[in-house]
């Protein structure tokens, strides 16, 4: 059964004859009759009843009309989404402006762009969170940053943010490292499991918020290389200070059915926001706005982008 047949069938909804429906569908009456016959053959039931007064839908035809409307609407939406996707990819391939990434966002998002051949013409900078936020006050930069809402409680007054994802802060831990221990909070996990961190400004700020000290203290590993954290999780060496957004990435790359990764949040409910940050009331120009919107749409349908609600 072809989608075009369902689209043609819609013309029968308010028609009293095949000739009227075929005129609405812009095909010959003979051709329209063949469409109806093909649908009836595929579905195994009578859709249209013909009599001396013309033609009308049977009970099966009325039921199928609802499904045909939904199928055609979904198909048209799919075509529109695909056109939008192609246009977005063209925007991301051609954009040649300035882009700043906080170090966490560079590690998280840049590999996706590179693997797709996107943003190769941009002037990209990997910066500390503070320096990336400073770039957000300059009109010729697009900035992708991670901001902890509790560390920057006034962020909504200082910056505008187009949010890609939200992650609740906690620890990612190999299940076999916990043994029989049933953890209820990250605070309990780090009492029995060594801790590792991605060493950057944002992590240090969150660590200070959680534990009241800026230095990392007695931890197993501090590194700026994700691969080392991945290897340690795979071996079951430690838990990693992370968030629910990154947890699904860890799980897809490292977790196994035999030793899945577990995400456990901190009791006090700390959240990180990932997105495009801009000084309050500093507008994007047309090309910048287009590339931000294209990136937001590109990530919206990726299974690797998860909010805390999805991960929970």
């Amino acid at each position: 059964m072809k989608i075009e047949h369902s689209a043609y069938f819609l013309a029968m909804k308010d028609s009293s004859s095949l000739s009227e429906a075929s005129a609405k569908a812009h095909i010959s009456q003979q051709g329209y009759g063949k469409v109806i016959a093909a649908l009836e053959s595929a579905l195994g039931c009578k859709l249209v009843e013909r009599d001396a007064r013309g033609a009308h839908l049977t009970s099966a035809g009325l039921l199928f009309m609802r499904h045909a409307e939904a199928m055609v609407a979904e198909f048209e939406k799919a075509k529109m989404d695909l056109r939008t996707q192609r246009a977005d990819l063209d925007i991301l391939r051609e954009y040649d402006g300035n882009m700043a990434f906080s170090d966490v966002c560079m590690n998280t998002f840049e590999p996706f762009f590179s693997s797709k051949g996107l943003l190769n013409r941009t002037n990209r900078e990997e910066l500390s969170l503070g320096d990336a936020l400073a770039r957000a006050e300059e009109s010729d930069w697009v900035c992708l940053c991670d901001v902890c809402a509790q560390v920057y409680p006034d962020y909504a007054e200082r910056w505008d943010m187009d949010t890609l994802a939200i992650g609740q802060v906690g620890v990612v831990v190999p299940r076999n490292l916990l043994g029989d221990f049933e953890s209820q909070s990250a605070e309990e996990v780090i009492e029995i499991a060594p801790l590792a961190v991605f060493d950057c400004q944002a992590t240090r700020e969150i660590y200070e918020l959680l534990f009241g000290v800026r230095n990392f203290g007695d931890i197993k590993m501090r590194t700026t290389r994700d691969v080392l954290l991945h290897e340690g999780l795979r071996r079951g060496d430690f838990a990693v200070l992370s968030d629910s957004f990154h947890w699904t990435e860890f799980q897809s790359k490292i977790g196994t059915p035999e030793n899945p990764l577990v995400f456990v949040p901190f009791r006090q409910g700390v959240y990180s926001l990932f997105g495009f940050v801009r000084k309050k009331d500093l507008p994007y120009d047309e090309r910048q706005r287009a590339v931000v919107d294209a990136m937001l749409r590109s990530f919206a349908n990726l299974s690797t982008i998860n909010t805390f609600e999805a991960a929970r």
Side-chain angles (χ1 to χ4, degrees):
M1 186 172 68
K2 298 179 180 179
I3 191 67
E4 292 91 340
H5 289 175
S6 295
Y8 286 141
F9 182 72
L10 299 185
M12 271 302 302
K13 185 172 186 180
D14 297 311
S15 298
S16 58
S17 67
L18 291 186
S19 61
E20 182 182 354
S22 63
K24 291 178 181 178
H26 304 291
I27 62 173
S28 69
Q29 184 173 342
Q30 182 182 14
Y32 196 80
K34 291 180 178 179
V35 166
I36 298 301
L39 285 171
E40 291 176 335
S41 175
L43 295 169
C45 58
K46 194 76 170 175
L47 300 176
V48 178
E49 191 68 53
R50 301 168 181 83
D51 57 30
R53 292 174 298 176
H56 61 272
L57 295 174
T58 64
S59 59
L62 289 169
L63 176 60
F64 180 65
M65 181 63 71
R66 295 201 296 270
H67 289 285
E69 288 175 327
M71 285 190 293
V72 172
E74 189 62 31
F75 183 73
E76 291 301 318
K77 182 180 182 300
K79 289 199 298 184
M80 183 177 297
D81 287 347
L82 290 168
R83 285 195 295 268
T84 300
Q85 182 188 63
R86 288 192 293 269
D88 285 344
L89 292 175
D90 287 341
I91 289 170
L92 296 176
R93 290 189 186 101
E94 297 301 320
Y95 187 68
D96 58 359
N98 298 318
M99 296 198 70
F101 292 76
S102 67
D103 36 23
V104 169
C105 286
M106 177 65 84
N107 276 274
T108 302
F109 298 111
E110 198 277 339
F112 168 80
F113 296 129
S114 294
S115 68
K116 302 295 182 182
L118 306 177
L119 300 179
N120 288 340
R121 300 179 63 184
T122 59
N123 173 36
R124 276 177 285 183
E125 285 190 354
E126 178 180 357
L127 302 170
S128 68
L129 176 59
D131 289 341
L133 291 174
R135 286 288 195 213
E137 301 190 359
E138 301 178 23
S139 61
D140 57 341
W141 285 83
V142 172
C143 303
L144 186 54
C145 302
D146 55 305
V147 177
C148 176
Q150 285 84 354
V151 172
Y152 297 94
D154 61 342
Y155 81 93
E157 299 172 8
R158 298 172 59 184
W159 303 298
D160 290 319
M161 173 176 272
D162 291 287
T163 305
L164 277 173
I166 302 171
Q168 185 175 14
V169 176
V171 293
V172 176
V173 56
R175 185 67 187 84
N176 63 6
L177 191 60
L178 297 176
D180 295 330
F181 178 70
E182 293 296 333
S183 58
Q184 301 299 313
S185 70
E187 288 89 346
E188 294 174 347
V189 170
I190 61 179
E191 288 294 321
I192 65 167
L195 186 64
V197 297
F198 182 82
D199 191 357
C200 66
Q201 178 183 341
T203 306
R204 287 191 291 272
E205 290 174 345
I206 290 172
Y207 193 89
E208 181 179 19
L209 177 70
L210 291 168
F211 304 110
V213 292
R214 196 67 184 276
N215 58 51
F216 285 126
D218 185 21
I219 63 171
K220 180 82 170 183
M221 176 185 288
R222 51 189 294 183
T223 180
T224 58
R225 296 179 60 197
D226 270 352
V227 65
L228 297 181
L229 297 178
H230 291 177
E231 290 173 354
L233 282 174
R234 189 178 291 111
R235 291 192 301 266
D237 291 346
F238 45 62
V240 174
L241 181 65
S242 187
D243 56 73
S244 56
F245 168 55
H246 285 93
W247 165 65
T248 51
E249 178 188 5
F250 284 134
Q251 176 70 351
S252 65
K253 292 181 178 179
I254 305 159
T256 65
E258 296 76 24
N259 184 28
L261 300 181
V262 180
F263 174 76
V264 186
F266 285 96
R267 291 195 193 98
Q268 65 187 83
V270 178
Y271 293 84
S272 287
L273 309 176
F274 301 83
F276 299 94
V277 177
R278 188 78 163 177
K279 180 183 177 181
K280 195 74 175 178
D281 299 324
L282 177 64
Y284 289 114
D285 65 30
E286 185 176 348
R287 293 180 68 244
Q288 290 172 332
R289 185 71 257 175
V291 79
V292 168
D293 288 343
M295 292 166 76
L296 290 169
R297 285 189 294 265
S298 296
F299 277 101
N301 295 321
L302 292 183
S303 60
T304 52
I305 302 303
N306 295 274
T307 64
F308 167 61
E309 292 299 323
R312 184 172 60 182

